[in-house]
Amino acid sequence: MAAEIVNSQGELDDGVEPAIDPAFALHRGGKMAVRATVPVRDADDLSLAYTPGVAKVCSAIAEQPDLVHDYTWKSQVVAVVTDGTAVLGLGDIGPQASLPVMEGKAILFKQFGGVDAVPIALDCTGVDEIVETVVRLAPSFGGINLEDVSAPRCFEIERRLQERLDIPVFHDDQHGTAVVTLAALRNAARLRGVALGELRAVISGAGAAGVAIARILVEAGIGDVAVCDRKGIVSADRTDLTDVKRELAGFTNKAGLSGSLESALDGADVFIGVSGGTVPEEAVSRMAEDAFVFAMANPTPEIHPDVARRYASVVATGRSDYPNQINNVLAFPGIFAGALQVRASRITEGMKLAAAEALAAVVADELSADRVIPSPFDERVAPAVTAAVAAAARAEGVARR
């Protein structure tokens, strides 16, 4: 598609006077680089930073492997790993085309969490290949952030990697989205004066984000939640469910609903969209009074905010040009910073719940219909999430310092 828009110089190729597209101008040469943290000004510096001084450090780590955390960057760096199969809204565009997104993710880690990150795009898509490749890369990193890996493979890849590795493995498309969604929903409920246990939610989308959101809402005590895929409500009586959806049906939809998304919305308190598609206004109008609509498909929400506001008391989207943006950057930098700070062996459900509560608390005293979640640029966010995640890791026994 880019070839139809720009020429090889990144100039607009539309038959008019050439102009540099600002996105191409910003990306030329990439968005990140490696920077030394120690000087190498003369022979003495060189002998300490490299040979012969480095040999002493290597020998010490060989004798006491845990020293790698103190004398290398391992405990401060995350691998951002993708196979390029589910990149933003672009789909399966491959590893090379995914690199601008992975670079972007890496600089967000640094900007918002003070965490160094390295983009790694893998030229393989098989579950076994990805798992084995990441396991072999893992000694260089303190954590693994899986990014833009398509469902349902992402579930098995994350599970198997966490079983094999003693560092955090976190699929942000699942858990980052879930944490921020829960934080926003907590505050929307506070604003309305109801408990999570009094709410019934409907999720449109049973992919990575939809499954993770359902799981964290149940963990947090939601009254009930029904998840819908293209064929309707995921329910135990369906015979066409994948293993993931069969498990999903086992802990959701306590009301035993069946049928379409539209029917599930009758009287529902919450709509959460992570699927694309369009929800008819008539279905939105049948939701409960003062409902919450989180229509997060990007760039086109499942329910347009102007329509949602006719019926809902709180409206959130995935876009930055509307209030209440559900943005993963509110979660993953602080979650990894907290996990790395205490050298956690994994990221637990308790750590995710703690992150959501801390994120919600940032604006708990400033709530309004247009402010149930902080801005990504709110400087209180990362420290609050980092501290909460570190404390939860210690409480759950996965911290190693």
Side-chain angles (χ1 to χ4, degrees):
M1 183 174 180
E4 299 174 1
I5 300 173
V6 300
N7 60 25
S8 60
Q9 284 74 47
E11 298 172 338
L12 295 179
D13 193 10
D14 56 4
V16 299
E17 185 177 346
I20 300 298
D21 184 303
F24 282 86
L26 182 143
H27 281 79
R28 184 172 294 280
K31 299 194 291 285
M32 56 188 297
V34 174
R35 180 183 63 84
T37 60
V38 297
V40 184
R41 298 161 299 196
D42 52 34
D44 288 341
D45 288 345
L46 182 60
S47 70
L48 289 173
Y50 200 54
T51 184
V54 72
K56 298 177 184 178
V57 180
C58 293
S59 297
I61 293 171
E63 292 177 8
Q64 300 181 57
D66 281 351
L67 292 178
V68 69
H69 297 285
D70 297 311
Y71 294 107
T72 73
W73 76 340
K74 179 179 173 73
S75 282
Q76 305 167 59
V77 66
V78 170
V80 180
V81 179
T82 190
D83 63 356
T85 55
V87 181
L88 300 179
L90 304 174
D92 185 354
I93 61 175
Q96 293 191 103
S98 76
L99 267 176
V101 178
M102 301 310 116
E103 287 183 3
K105 194 79 172 191
I107 63 175
L108 295 180
F109 264 108
K110 189 66 172 179
Q111 175 72 25
F112 293 103
V115 173
D116 289 307
V118 177
I120 297 177
L122 302 179
D123 189 15
C124 58
T125 58
V127 171
D128 291 341
E129 291 177 293
I130 292 173
V131 170
E132 293 302 323
T133 301
V134 175
V135 166
R136 283 159 175 72
L137 290 169
S140 295
F141 301 100
I144 306 294
N145 182 89
L146 296 173
E147 188 74 19
D148 293 348
V149 178
S150 64
R153 297 172 312 119
C154 60
F155 301 110
E156 184 178 359
I157 290 169
E158 183 188 45
R159 177 184 60 78
R160 286 173 56 180
L161 282 174
Q162 192 61 84
E163 288 174 353
R164 296 274 300 274
L165 300 175
D166 66 346
I167 57 176
V169 178
F170 185 84
H171 184 212
D172 185 50
D173 300 320
Q174 291 184 62
H175 310 301
T177 307
V179 165
V180 182
T181 301
L182 174 58
L185 185 56
R186 281 193 181 281
N187 277 341
R190 285 173 180 142
L191 189 62
R192 192 169 117 184
V194 297
L196 284 180
E198 300 175 56
L199 301 177
R200 180 171 71 84
V202 176
I203 299 174
S204 175
V211 171
I213 291 169
R215 191 178 300 279
I216 202 169
L217 291 185
V218 170
E219 290 279 346
I222 192 81
D224 197 8
V225 55
V227 183
C228 302
D229 62 11
R230 291 182 179 88
K231 297 182 179 180
I233 299 168
V234 175
S235 57
D237 60 351
R238 281 179 46 180
T239 59
D240 60 344
L241 300 180
T242 63
D243 290 344
V244 171
K245 291 180 183 178
R246 194 172 299 111
E247 181 186 1
L248 182 64
F251 66 85
T252 61
N253 193 21
K254 292 187 294 187
L257 302 177
S258 60
S260 66
L261 167 68
E262 289 80 5
S263 67
L265 285 176
D266 286 351
D269 301 286
V270 186
F271 169 81
I272 297 171
V274 283
S275 66
T278 302
V279 177
E281 180 174 353
E282 195 272 333
V284 182
S285 72
R286 298 198 306 271
M287 293 181 68
E289 187 177 356
D290 292 330
F292 310 140
V293 169
F294 293 4
M296 300 188 294
N298 227 336
T300 306
E302 295 89 347
I303 303 167
H304 193 281
D306 292 343
V307 172
R309 288 193 189 98
R310 295 172 192 158
Y311 310 99
S313 61
V314 175
V315 178
T317 72
R319 293 175 49 145
S320 59
D321 54 347
Y322 289 101
N324 298 324
Q325 184 189 19
I326 307 297
N327 191 329
N328 289 15
V329 77
L330 289 163
F332 69 82
I335 289 173
F336 267 101
L340 293 176
Q341 185 181 96
V342 297
R343 294 182 190 166
S345 58
R346 61 188 300 113
I347 294 171
T348 65
E349 292 303 313
M351 291 161 73
K352 296 170 202 171
L353 290 170
E357 186 60 51
L359 180 56
V362 169
V363 292
D365 295 330
E366 308 161 13
L367 293 182
S368 70
D370 288 341
R371 189 169 173 76
V372 296
I373 200 76
S375 160
F377 297 98
D378 189 323
E379 294 182 355
R380 299 171 295 177
V381 168
V385 174
T386 298
V389 168
R394 292 190 178 101
E396 299 208 339
V398 296
R400 290 177 287 197
R401 74 170 183 184

